[in-house]
Amino acid sequence: MAVCIAVIAKENYPLYIRSVPTENELKFHYTVHTSLDVVDEKISAMGKALVDQRELYLGLLYPTEDYKVYGYVTNSKVKFVMVVDSSNTALRDNEIRSMFRKLHNSYTDIMCNPFYNPGDRIHSRAFDTMVNSMMMQVC
Amino acid sequence: MALKNDTEVRYGTPAEFHGVKFQVPHATLEKSSYKRADEGEKQEPKSPPMSPICSPPASPSTYQRIAQSYGYGKARSGLEQQHGAPYEVRHSTHQQDGPSSGNYGAKSALTCSTPNRSLSVEREQQDSSSQYSDDPWRITEEQRDYYINQFRSLQPDLNAFISGSVAKNFFTKSKLPIPELSHIWELSDVDCDGALTLPEFCAAFHLVVARKNGYQLPETLPETLLPEYLQAACLKPVRDCALFDSYSEPLPSSQQTRDFSRAEKSSAEEVPDNSALLQDGKKDDKQAVKVSTTLKTIPKEFQHLTVKAAAQEPNAHRARPRSRSYSSTSIEDAMKKGEEPPTPPPRPQKSHSRASSLDLNKIFQQNTQAVRSGWLPPPPPALPPRPSVSQTEQPSEVELHPQMNRPPSQAEENSSAKKEVVLAQPPSKPARRKLRTEAQGLETPELSPTINVTSSLPAVKPHLPVQKQSSKQKRAIQTAIRKNKEANAVLARLNSELQQQLKEVHKERIALETQLEQLRPVTVL
């Protein structure tokens, strides 16, 4: 279960960011922002020739003592960043991958909507529902 | 009872339909009907419908203009209350369907609806009416026909898709805010392919209509709007669409002349009629009953229809002849009003042109009323005779334009062509006036069938502009003449300018050719 999920556009501005409503949500926003550097690093490390072979799932971007940050980038350079609570050790890599896959599918569904202009903030209710299902349930 | 009489009075004067007064009783009625209707009306879980259903009365004033469809949707919701036991049955099925609605579980929906049909004949009749009337997310026959025609206007092949951009432009004309349109798309594009099939398009259009009428959009697609559900239902009226094609294609152009509220009211009448025919025991929502009884100007003849055992057949049957007059008007004006953004003030023109179109058809109204009273037996044959009737009558009527005395057969031949021309005319003001002038018979009498057809709708309220038709007609014709003269002058001027340019170009060409010839002998030598 994620603590924060963000969709970052190609130009590195957020299209969608949703975090568990705890105090200090800004911390998550900052974390996501700083993780973009790591994402760019991983993307550029592949080199241009390897773009096709580059895997979409980037894996663990960097861990902190409280949480881990995972990244996923699409072929159109739209990035998904997920912040996961470190205490939740039950989450395996496969689960993270499946969560990103769901995110990617929902994102493509949004793209199919002709009323959505790429680059706009995402206001889709279906997307919200899907993200909420992945977020940690705060009692 | 007092409330009943009150609403009866309010509904009794059709002229008020256009006024704001109508919205007020509607708002109050809606509140009462919604509170009762929300129990089983929506297919969704119960808690969400509470807020959406209660919100339309507080909808912004922009919806007040089109609050005619409040009556339409509300009557349908209110009529649900009239069913006694069947309502409870449906209530239980709705509750059954509630959990499944979020899963696009069409199968569960269909199986839940089939037990209704397996009930006794009376039950089935009541269910069919309740299916029509209790659910604002259910598409009626005339609505479906209208949607199918709109689909056809965008995409001739009914089995093909409408692409996202085409659909976006189309739905943007409805003037709903983009986020809402985006949500509607999300709901209706079930397979998320960026294109709309016919059932998806019907669902999307229906949601647009519902939203324009003030209904809050559901979180998930109601089961009656699911593509699988609509697919089964869409197949049936498709065969009738061929009949409606010739009918409804010219209608969009003349729909510009329609008053939206009147169209909505007429559509509101139909649905109450369905249930009024089937139900005797009226329950709480007497206002809806009053809607059905007092709004009835056209469809008295439909009360004589016997309801058959098949669930939707009677409604489809009744709706088909009525959809001749209504299919274009039921919710079309909502779109049409939105589809005229490029034109300068369309509304004053609409009223004017409606009067003019009505003027011409004042004579036809009695005729069409008579035709419609005997409409029931063969709806299809009724269509061709009417244009011929109008043809014969129109030349006699319009003495101002003797050139209209053409043979009716030729006129009918040209009518189809003219209808295409009418369709192809860009929605600009002079073009529309031209259409009106054409309609008035300046150029052709062929458009009179279109106006004749739409006059069936003014027959709904024959007492509206009947009194002022003659003077308005003359005025309209004169303005049309003036406009045409102006257009002619402009075109003549343009023509002369172009001729001048042509001459100059000719001179240049001649000069160049002489130069070429001068040069050529030199090289040849």
Side-chain angles (χ1 to χ4, degrees), chain A residues 109 112-115 117 124-126, chain B residues 164 168 182-183 185-186 192 194 219:
Chain A
D109 289 344
C112 286
N113 190 333
F115 296 103
N117 300 317
S124 154
R125 290 184 222 185
Chain B
K168 175 180 175 179
S182 177
H183 184 60
W185 178 279
E186 246 179 54
C192 285
E219 291 294 325

Side-chain angles (χ1 to χ4, degrees), chain B residues 253-271:
Chain B
S253 63
S254 50
Q255 282 316 306
Q256 304 163 7
T257 69
R258 287 279 137 236
D259 189 288
F260 173 85
S261 54
R262 181 158 43 83
E264 285 307 302
K265 187 197 75 66
S266 62
S267 63
E269 298 171 27
E270 296 176 359
V271 179

Side-chain angles (χ1 to χ4, degrees), chain B residues 202-270:
Chain B
C202 291
F205 207 137
H206 196 71
L207 287 169
V208 167
V209 165
R211 186 71 187 106
K212 290 213 83 125
N213 294 341
Y215 287 90
Q216 289 294 332
L217 293 175
E219 291 294 325
T220 55
L221 194 65
E223 63 181 21
T224 53
L225 293 180
L226 287 171
E228 300 92 342
Y229 183 87
L230 290 177
Q231 193 77 48
C234 269
L235 293 175
K236 202 178 1 146
V238 165
R239 67 171 186 269
D240 297 326
C241 284
L243 301 169
F244 297 148
D245 271 348
S246 60
Y247 177 91
S248 55
E249 269 171 17
L251 283 177
S253 63
S254 50
Q255 282 316 306
Q256 304 163 7
T257 69
R258 287 279 137 236
D259 189 288
F260 173 85
S261 54
R262 181 158 43 83
E264 285 307 302
K265 187 197 75 66
S266 62
S267 63
E269 298 171 27
E270 296 176 359

